[in-house]
Amino acid sequence: MVIADEIRRGMEDSSWIRRMFELGIELRQERGAENVFDLSLGNPITEPPPEFFDELRRFTSADHPGAHRYMPNPGYVETRQAVADALSDETGLSYGANEIVMTVGAAAGLNVIIHSLCNRGDEVVILAPYFGEYFFYATNHGATPVVVGCDDEFIPDLAELESSLSPRTRLVIVNSPNNPSGAMYPASFIDDLGRLLEAKSAEFGTDIFLVSDEPYRKILFDEHVYPFPQLAYQRTLTVTSHAKDLALPGERIGYIAVHPEYAAGDGGVELLDAMIFCNRVLGFVNAPAIMQHVVRHLQSVTIDTSDYRSKRDYLYDVLTSAGYEVRKPEGAFYMFPRSPVPDELELVAALQRHGVLVVPGRGFGMPGYFRISYCVEQRELEGAAPGFAAAISELTGR
């Protein structure tokens, strides 16, 4: 055997999202692209806002000696200060540049956090439905994933969470608005979660960290207001990217932010030093230089979310009219309907027969559901609508 056993197992269990994406390529070759409607991948077709191109042109049109050299591993201090200022404005907390580490997207940020904090065998709590890569991020660094379920509204079960916490618990990862459900955890849940983690940290004599994975934080609908976890719990580490709020997934630019009050203590100083070290030794070294210069001036800019809201409403009407049970999302660009038959793979196969690609819920820890990504052209959703109706009729006779 050439490759490592753990990597082989990971490849065998790898993302359902990628499997569906690859299937879409095959189906388009067989049936023609116009007959296949791929709603499987969260790869936004929305272009970055005009301010991004203005900043990019401004930067590239002038000479910037040294702009492409190595930099401090946490990133340019000016960029970190811009991020800190924006977070301070949003949260009311006093973030500074030293509490920010620029990263190669949120994926790198999560790996840096886990590598910095977890000894082999430590536990990382993951809340279903979850982004499947969390499992691999945890096991990459010898940690053990522990899954906690949710209610019918996709809000985590706090009682189950409490029973799942142990002296080995190091991190709890929250993702809100959530991929795959689009649900935003309410402020009441965040407050209860903060109190629970505070009590359990005291009981176990450990530091349990809350990792808030926030790439969809600024994609909210219906005047919802984001409840910042760091206002409920001091040991909160914010990790995010500009993949979604600035539509820059290919540029791999994000950051980690450590709660400023925690960062001020000895433990916080050591943690920041560890994350800067891990940013380097994991091979990320530092976030891309040009993107750091550009996003420095875009911390208050977000894409126009009205298009996503319109597509959410259209798709919700299509699904409910066809007879699907689905919760209307508060944010992000995903929908997570319940399958009309117990085994969602039957529904996924039926949809494929009608040219529609979605992702089975088991890839997110919730069999019996399926994920739809609506960050696609409107014609893709309109083309998929008859397939949704035909598939549920085929399976249920409705």
Side-chain angles (χ1 to χ4, degrees), residues 142-156:
T144 301
V146 176
V147 177
V148 170
C150 64
D151 64 18
D152 289 341
E153 295 294 303
F154 305 123
I155 306 305

Side-chain angles (χ1 to χ4, degrees), residues 27-78:
L27 290 181
R28 280 189 286 271
Q29 291 173 342
E30 292 174 6
R31 305 181 189 180
E34 70 279 7
N35 298 313
V36 178
F37 310 101
D38 189 348
L39 311 181
S40 65
L41 190 61
N43 189 14
I45 54 92
T46 299
E47 291 299 317
E51 293 92 335
F52 168 78
F53 295 103
D54 292 342
E55 281 300 322
L56 186 60
R57 280 189 289 266
R58 184 191 63 77
F59 180 79
T60 56
S61 65
D63 291 332
H64 300 278
H68 308 289
R69 299 172 190 162
Y70 286 128
M71 68 190 75
N73 293 124
Y76 294 116
V77 67
E78 299 88 349

Side-chain angles (χ1 to χ4, degrees), residues 71-110:
M71 68 190 75
N73 293 124
Y76 294 116
V77 67
E78 299 88 349
T79 302
R80 291 185 284 130
Q81 187 61 56
V83 169
D85 290 344
L87 277 173
S88 297
D89 289 343
E90 289 183 90
T91 65
L93 299 171
S94 297
Y95 282 92
N98 289 338
E99 283 91 64
I100 309 299
V101 178
M102 301 303 296
T103 62
V104 185
L110 287 163

Side-chain angles (χ1 to χ4, degrees), residues 273-307:
D273 287 344
M275 291 195 298
I276 293 166
F277 173 78
C278 290
N279 207 29
R280 183 175 83 246
V281 300
L282 287 175
F284 306 118
V285 184
N286 53 252
I290 292 177
M291 284 302 106
Q292 285 198 55
H293 288 296
V294 172
V295 303
R296 178 187 312 163
H297 304 283
L298 302 177
Q299 291 303 302
S300 62
V301 177
T302 307
I303 58 165
D304 181 0
T305 61
S306 62
D307 181 56

Side-chain angles (χ1 to χ4, degrees), residues 124-206:
V124 175
V125 174
I126 297 169
L127 308 179
Y130 50 72
F131 178 54
E133 303 290 270
Y134 290 160
F135 266 77
F136 302 118
Y137 298 163
T139 58
N140 279 349
H141 310 290
T144 301
V146 176
V147 177
V148 170
C150 64
D151 64 18
D152 289 341
E153 295 294 303
F154 305 123
I155 306 305
D157 185 325
L158 206 63
E160 183 181 340
L161 174 58
E162 181 173 5
S163 66
S164 298
L165 298 175
S166 81
R168 299 308 302 265
T169 303
R170 200 65 171 132
L171 309 174
V172 176
I173 301 177
V174 295
N175 170 221
S176 172
N178 177 257
N179 173 11
S181 70
M184 186 176 72
Y185 300 159
S188 58
F189 170 79
I190 296 297
D191 290 342
D192 290 343
L193 176 61
R195 284 189 286 269
L196 173 62
L197 296 183
E198 194 68 58
K200 286 297 182 178
S201 292
E203 177 185 336
F204 299 143
T206 61

